[in-house]
Amino acid sequence: MDKEDFDGLMEGMREAAADIKARRAAKVKAIRAKTQLSQPAFAARYHLSVRTLQNWESGKAIDSVGETLLTLIDRDPDTVARLLNA
């Protein structure tokens, strides 16, 4: 593989990583938008730090517990809030 091929491959990988990050951020933002809550209100309601939510909304990695919580919130935000705040 010559340098031009390698550089093209690396550029493709950077673009793919940026796309994954953008999709992740959009997913989290869409879940929060569904609740019609600000970042501080969403974080408080679901026992997250605002910084964690901001990281997720900027596309940073989400651990498996965070993914599970977001999936549950997406499916039934009121029930999750009720269970967390009982």
Side-chain angles (χ1 to χ4, degrees), residues 41-62:
F42 185 93
R45 185 175 197 201
Y46 298 109
H47 298 266
L48 298 165
S49 74
V50 174
R51 189 70 192 135
T52 294
L53 181 58
Q54 290 170 339
N55 284 340
W56 291 352
E57 288 192 3
S58 72
K60 292 195 175 154
I62 305 169

Side-chain angles (χ1 to χ4, degrees), residues 67-84:
E67 286 283 358
T68 300
L69 179 61
L70 289 170
T71 298
L72 292 171
I73 293 168
D74 190 32
R75 289 184 183 165
D76 194 343
D78 293 332
T79 298
V80 174
R82 183 176 48 79
L83 291 169
L84 289 174

Side-chain angles (χ1 to χ4, degrees), residues 20-40:
I20 290 168
K21 188 175 179 179
R23 288 174 189 257
R24 184 183 304 134
K27 175 184 168 187
V28 177
K29 289 176 185 177
I31 292 169
R32 183 170 63 83
K34 185 177 181 179
T35 67
Q36 299 180 332
L37 296 171
S38 66
Q39 284 181 338

